[in-house]
Amino acid sequence: MLKRLGAFFKEPPVQEPIQDSEKVDSMYKHWRLRIFYACFIGYTVFYLCKKNIAVALPGIMDEFNYSATELGLLGSSLYLTYGIGKFVNGVLADGSDVRKFLPCALLMTALANIAFAFSPLCVGWLGLPDKTFAVVLLWVLAFLWGVSGWFQSAGFPAVAKSLTYWYSNSERGTKWSLWSCSHQTGTFLSVLVSGHLVSYLYEQGVAGAWRAAFFVPGVLAMLTALWLYDRLRDRPQSLGLPDVEIYRDEPVKKQSAEEKKAEDDMSYIQIFKKYILCNRTIWMLAIAYIFVYIIRFGAEDWMILYLQNAKGTTLADATNKLASLPLVGICGTICAGLISDKLFKGKRAPVNLLYLVGVIICIVALKFNTISMLDYVIIGLLGAFTYGPQMMIGGLCAVESSSKKVASAATGFTGTFGYVGAFLSATGTGFLVDKMGKNGEQNWDGAIYFWLVSGIICLVICAILAIEEYRKDAKKA
């Protein structure tokens, strides 16, 4: 069975190089655009099946009387499997056919979402007492959400492989930042569409309306998976095209012929060990990524509950305010790539520092702001400043600090650490909200302090990396 799966997903062989330069140029222009928009749309739909949980949490809490800590455990199941899966699937993606790998991952994610929507009905057929029913259902939901997380984790490594092989270093910051807007686009659409759909159904008196937030995206994801199989292809070499660096006459790294030959002769395990396991920069990026994700998922998953419980905002208004986070985040992500490519000539560290300072300021402003309309601005800016480092640290910086031959594994490695942060965000935020409260009341100051300290620690780590980068450049000069 495993051999058959391995053969099915195996990376397609390198084809005979095309000698006609005009045909090469025409094919590169066609496929680069096609690969890019397919990866963008595909990953957007992944997020429709991921961020819908934020909209559903209030409904699940009310219907089954779960505490914030219990809901945190529910959310953390995805982050746990996603984190492990991102590394495992990152290694698998390096040797797999993107055309098959990515659509299959989305298809399985869709099925898990649909099963999540129907799970209360299935558990209800067991006829369990109310308390037992709630406990069993929580574990079933956690399991299904964890399964969804595992298959969702296969999306990013496959995309990272595509972008690394189809775009060169001088353009990768801009292209990666443009693609990375799929995170924000998917989050924006998921929160806005699912939020208003669920809100409307509740207003119409539909019991369990939160289920629509999983069923509708699940069906859409199934259709998108089929479309992706038609659109995608693997590496340029599988179509008879040269390496993108040769096509653009732009070597990624200055290597001697001996160094390049030595790397070509290395096995995948040797390259993995050299550029990931024994790479100090990758480890520091991975640790910094933990704290980026604590902030990112703290805001994305808990903001609606925070606004409702700490500021008395309605579900509809809280949904609109949260939607500003990914919407403005798109601008922040694009600007991060452009600034690093154009202003800092491919250096990523200065941008990370600037953005993280902005994150810290926004968290403090969110805590003390009392003007409802100003929440839109603060939450939007928080998204802009968070998504920049999210795109840079665990994605672009990781790829450029390793080798293209382990691009998927590098992003999978840092991504695993990121989802350790997401796990801590889910469990830690819920725990602190309950723990700092008194007499059964929730206290959201714990969440704010948790996110704030995370931002400060991440800033310190990135400052160390920036100093090291500056010293290396000074020695070369």
Side-chain angles (χ1 to χ4, degrees), residues 169 245-246 249-254:
N169 186 65
E245 291 79 24
I246 296 175
D249 191 23
E250 181 189 314
V252 176
K253 296 178 181 178
K254 293 182 179 180

Side-chain angles (χ1 to χ4, degrees), residues 193-374:
V193 175
S194 297
H196 284 287
L197 173 62
V198 170
S199 180
Y200 172 77
L201 291 175
Y202 274 126
E203 289 175 359
Q204 300 303 310
V206 178
W210 59 267
R211 294 168 176 81
F214 298 94
F215 179 75
V216 173
V219 172
L220 180 60
M222 292 177 68
L223 298 175
T224 304
L226 298 175
W227 176 79
L228 282 177
Y229 182 76
D230 173 71
R231 296 285 91 188
L232 291 171
R233 295 296 186 274
D234 199 66
R235 302 167 298 162
Q237 295 91 327
S238 67
L239 298 176
L241 296 171
D243 288 347
V244 68
E245 291 79 24
I246 296 175
Y247 168 66
R248 289 176 56 84
D249 191 23
E250 181 189 314
V252 176
K253 296 178 181 178
K254 293 182 179 180
Q255 289 180 305
S256 66
E258 292 78 10
E259 289 174 331
K260 187 177 187 306
K261 184 179 185 305
E263 183 173 316
D264 290 340
D265 292 340
M266 293 169 68
S267 68
Y268 181 86
I269 297 298
Q270 290 173 320
I271 296 173
F272 179 86
K273 181 180 178 181
K274 177 180 179 180
Y275 288 103
I276 296 179
L277 292 184
C278 298
N279 188 335
R280 181 175 180 274
T281 300
I282 285 287
W283 278 95
M284 292 190 69
L285 289 170
I287 294 170
Y289 217 37
I290 293 174
F291 301 101
V292 172
Y293 268 52
I294 287 175
I295 301 167
R296 177 191 167 193
F297 283 96
E300 289 180 356
D301 291 350
W302 294 97
M303 189 62 71
I304 289 179
L305 273 175
Y306 168 75
L307 292 171
Q308 283 186 296
N309 296 345
K311 296 196 173 187
T313 309
T314 64
L315 175 59
D317 286 343
T319 296
N320 289 334
K321 288 180 179 181
L322 179 56
S324 68
L325 186 139
L327 186 62
V328 182
I330 291 174
C331 300
T333 303
I334 294 174
C335 287
L338 288 172
I339 292 170
S340 66
D341 274 352
K342 307 300 181 183
L343 184 60
F344 292 107
K345 307 301 180 184
K347 296 183 185 301
R348 319 301 178 187
V351 180
N352 288 331
L353 295 178
L354 290 172
Y355 272 57
L356 287 167
V357 170
V359 167
I360 293 169
I361 293 173
C362 287
I363 293 173
V364 174
L366 182 66
K367 158 67 178 170
F368 294 103
N369 176 55
T370 57
I371 304 172
S372 179
M373 291 302 296
L374 195 56

Side-chain angles (χ1 to χ4, degrees), residues 383-396:
F385 290 126
T386 302
Y387 286 126
Q390 181 268 324
M391 179 269 292
M392 290 280 198
I393 294 174
L396 194 54

Side-chain angles (χ1 to χ4, degrees), residues 145-164:
W145 203 230
V147 169
S148 178
W150 178 269
F151 289 109
Q152 286 180 33
S153 71
F156 181 65
V159 171
K161 177 183 177 180
S162 288
L163 295 180
T164 303

Side-chain angles (χ1 to χ4, degrees), residues 9-12 35 39 90 92-99 101 155-167 176 233-236 399 404-409 411:
F9 286 109
K10 186 178 180 180
E11 188 177 62
I35 294 293
C39 287
L92 295 176
D94 278 321
S96 298
D97 186 351
V98 171
R99 187 187 184 192
F101 199 79
F156 181 65
V159 171
K161 177 183 177 180
S162 288
L163 295 180
T164 303
Y165 272 97
W166 286 94
Y167 293 97
W176 200 296
R233 295 296 186 274
D234 199 66
R235 302 167 298 162
V399 166
K404 187 166 71 172
K405 294 181 179 180
V406 288
S408 297
T411 58

